[in-house]
Amino acid sequence: MITRRTRRVASVAAMVAGTLVLGACGSSSEGSGSSSQSASQAAATSASGPVTIKYLHRLPDGEGMTKVADVVKKWNSEHPDIKVETTKFPGKANELMPKLEADVKAGTAPCLVQAGYAEVPDMYVKGLVQDVTSEAEKYKDHFSVAYGQMSVGDKVVGLPQDTGPLVYVYNEAEFKKLGIEVPKTSDELLAAAKKAAAKGKYILGFEPDEAQNSLSAQAAAGGAVWYSAEGDKWKVDTNGDKTKVVADFWQKALDDKSALTDARWSDAYTKALVNGKLIGNIAAAWETGFMLDALDKTPYNGQWRVAQLPPFGGSELTGPDGGSGVAVVKGCKYAAQAMQFNDWFNTQVDDLATQGLVPAAKGQVTTPEKMKKQFGGQDVMAELAKANEKLAPKFGYIPGFAVVGTKMNEKAADAAAGKAKVSDIFQTAQDTSVKALKDAGLPVNE
């Protein structure tokens, strides 16, 4: 049975300015979150006095970081007519969407919410965000290519906050002991990993619980585009030739037993760092803000460095692993004011950097002292900025990507255990992506 919602979300994919986006159709009475209330309509809603904007975030707010509440306090002191109240979401990242759905339905949702880029398409088709294109365009020049990640169709639903380009991190002192140079290509990385493993060290980690983000990002770094449009239908290509380069790379590493296979967010992974078993890895840029915390009181403190991701298949790109923006939620009465704060907050680059973020806003970012100490005085943010400039511009996501990721991670666990091939992960992504789109009533070109 085709429901009103199915007809509405059965919109078509289009590639616009190098960004994968969705176009909405159907009447505005049915409308998605982006057609239900435009920014201009929201701006027309005036207040007799100061307005209050609520912002729900999930930044770490850890020790040594500039707290979000303190950043907001500066805004409030300078903008008495637009008061912002901020709350840190206490649950897990995957628990935010259900809460937001319930709050939007109940009319108690905040005006602004932090959203992972891969979540934006889902938020759009579920009607949780609104079109703020006219407001966003005022601030577009303040941001990097990540601006497009907050686009859905020709609509913009918010502003980018941070990016997650893949980089390579390594223990410089341990590399020198092993006589290993920093790899410049994926082939060199494989050869060096085999040499290190022969000495009981690992410079690669195959992380089953991060397959969705890490492996898709590596495919993007190789030049793959998983989701695009052909005519009025989605095209899914998660296991094409450029992705197979990544599959072959990891299969060789697993066959040679030259990659650590502990889950990224496990105690075993941390133990491998602390005892010096893991001395290098491919990582998302945002990991540099905290990944070495466990080494602060060990001999390895200050020995690590950040380098660019070795090219996969000759591509000089890197891929997006995570990153998020701040979206305007459906029902926000003061979208124009919310976007004014959105721009201001996300251009406080040095404050955001203390949270371990790689800011999406343009401009030089000071490497936080904690990070500088952990990476031996390296200007880490300068290196991450180079990676930012090489982000694959055409890689985007589909509604239902979370479901795709769950299946990828399950199959990756099988591959790590020798029960499946790495190529099976990408075939699983293909099959699950097609099914997720069809289940949502979206046309697929098979």
Side-chain angles (χ1 to χ4, degrees):
M1 180 178 178
I2 300 177
T3 64
R4 282 163 58 91
R5 180 181 179 276
T6 300
R7 288 197 301 269
R8 170 171 58 80
V9 302
S11 49
V12 296
M15 189 66 70
V16 178
T19 303
L20 183 67
V21 293
L22 294 171
C25 62
S27 69
S28 59
S29 60
E30 293 179 342
S32 68
S34 49
S35 63
S36 62
Q37 182 182 27
S38 69
S40 59
Q41 289 173 320
T45 304
S46 60
S48 57
V51 302
T52 298
I53 305 295
K54 294 184 178 181
Y55 168 40
L56 183 65
H57 76 89
R58 57 191 190 206
L59 295 179
D61 263 356
E63 183 178 349
M65 298 177 180
T66 303
K67 302 295 189 292
V68 172
D70 290 334
V71 181
V72 171
K73 189 180 296 183
K74 289 191 294 184
W75 164 272
N76 285 337
S77 67
E78 298 170 4
H79 302 82
D81 292 335
I82 307 174
K83 180 183 178 183
V84 175
E85 297 178 357
T86 181
T87 303
K88 177 177 169 62
F89 180 64
K92 297 178 181 178
N94 62 0
E95 296 172 342
L96 178 59
M97 187 85 75
K99 174 174 172 52
L100 188 62
E101 286 187 71
D103 289 348
V104 167
K105 186 176 181 179
T108 59
C111 258
L112 294 169
V113 65
Q114 185 178 344
Y117 297 135
E119 297 172 320
V120 170
D122 272 329
M123 286 184 167
Y124 176 76
V125 299
K126 290 179 178 179
L128 303 181
V129 291
Q130 62 175 279
D131 172 16
V132 289
T133 305
S134 60
E135 294 300 322
E137 287 177 348
K138 299 176 183 178
Y139 312 115
K140 181 177 180 179
D141 291 343
H142 298 172
F143 298 94
S144 67
V145 67
Y147 177 86
Q149 294 285 342
M150 296 302 289
S151 297
V152 186
D154 57 353
K155 314 297 183 184
V156 183
V157 299
L159 294 174
Q161 183 168 94
D162 71 299
T163 62
L166 290 178
V167 292
Y168 188 72
V169 292
Y170 66 102
N171 184 312
E172 184 178 58
E174 292 295 309
F175 266 49
K176 287 181 179 179
K177 287 181 183 178
L178 294 174
I180 295 175
E181 298 289 334
V182 181
K184 300 296 184 184
T185 67
S186 56
D187 286 341
E188 287 183 11
L189 181 53
L190 270 179
K194 191 172 183 177
K195 181 177 180 179
K199 299 293 185 180
K201 302 284 186 176
Y202 292 96
I203 66 170
L204 273 178
F206 180 79
E207 305 165 354
D209 56 338
E210 276 293 307
Q212 172 188 19
N213 297 316
S214 185
L215 293 183
S216 64
Q218 289 167 40
V225 176
W226 279 13
Y227 308 114
S228 59
E230 278 193 351
D232 60 352
K233 296 181 179 180
W234 282 95
K235 178 183 178 182
V236 179
D237 184 20
T238 72
N239 60 355
D241 290 344
K242 293 179 179 179
T243 299
K244 286 177 181 176
V245 172
V246 178
D248 290 345
F249 171 90
W250 284 110
Q251 194 61 58
K252 289 176 183 176
L254 292 178
D255 290 346
D256 290 342
K257 299 188 184 306
S258 58
L260 189 75
T261 56
D262 294 325
R264 173 63 183 88
W265 308 110
S266 67
D267 292 338
Y269 185 96
T270 302
K271 183 178 179 181
L273 269 178
V274 173
N275 65 23
K277 185 178 180 181
L278 181 65
I279 59 171
N281 204 6
I282 294 171
W286 45 264
E287 291 185 69
T288 60
F290 60 85
M291 68 173 294
L292 302 183
D293 288 357
L295 301 183
D296 284 349
K297 296 182 180 180
T298 73
Y300 305 113
N301 183 36
Q303 294 183 353
W304 285 66
R305 303 290 184 270
V306 181
Q308 298 301 301
L309 179 73
F312 281 90
S315 169
E316 293 297 328
L317 298 172
T318 187
D321 182 341
S324 61
V326 179
V328 178
V329 179
K330 179 182 178 182
C332 177
K333 296 180 180 179
Y334 308 111
Q337 293 93 328
M339 284 294 286
Q340 186 180 342
F341 166 76
N342 200 354
D343 172 68
W344 180 90
F345 183 81
N346 288 314
T347 53
Q348 305 305 297
V349 293
D350 287 337
D351 289 333
L352 293 177
T354 69
Q355 294 272 349
L357 303 184
V358 183
K362 296 176 181 178
Q364 186 173 354
V365 184
T366 302
T367 298
E369 286 304 315
K370 170 194 166 186
M371 190 181 291
K372 189 176 292 185
K373 182 178 179 181
Q374 290 180 337
F375 285 91
Q378 182 182 12
D379 188 354
V380 175
M381 282 296 171
E383 194 68 25
L384 299 182
K386 294 178 184 177
N388 238 359
E389 294 174 359
K390 298 193 294 183
L391 267 172
K394 295 182 179 180
F395 198 86
Y397 308 95
I398 59 169
F401 191 64
V403 176
V404 176
T406 297
K407 295 299 184 182
M408 287 179 66
N409 291 358
E410 291 173 357
K411 190 60 67 173
D414 289 342
K419 299 177 182 178
K421 297 294 186 181
V422 177
S423 58
D424 295 336
I425 302 171
F426 299 109
Q427 184 60 50
T428 295
Q430 180 77 20
D431 296 340
T432 310
S433 294
V434 171
K435 184 178 186 302
L437 289 168
K438 286 184 174 180
D439 287 348
L442 295 166
V444 183
N445 192 345
E446 295 187 82

